[in-house]
Amino acid sequence: MTTWQQFARMSNEELSLRNVAEVNLACAEGLPGVDASVVNRSLQSLEEAVKRTR
């Protein structure tokens, strides 16, 4: 997964092509109670919700 530091170096154009949830979760990683496993589970849950919605 892309880190918040990598996102911070991206241009607005590059960022506009990225998944908003991925950007937000990358920024949350490292906060108390949020590690890579929480981020990965959250992304999986969101992907499943998108599939059901479609």
Side-chain angles (χ1 to χ4, degrees):
M1 185 170 126
T2 308
T3 65
W4 70 265
Q5 294 94 336
Q6 292 168 314
F7 284 124
R9 289 187 218 103
M10 291 183 184
S11 68
N12 286 340
E13 184 177 321
E14 290 173 303
L15 282 173
S16 72
L17 301 173
R18 302 306 295 254
N19 180 316
V20 172
E22 181 184 5
V23 176
N24 286 333
L25 288 168
C27 292
E29 189 171 357
L31 293 174
V34 182
D35 60 18
S37 65
V38 171
V39 170
N40 289 332
R41 282 194 314 269
S42 297
L43 284 172
Q44 288 175 337
S45 294
L46 287 168
E47 288 173 14
E48 290 170 13
V50 167
K51 288 177 186 177
R52 285 192 304 266
T53 302
R54 287 186 181 149

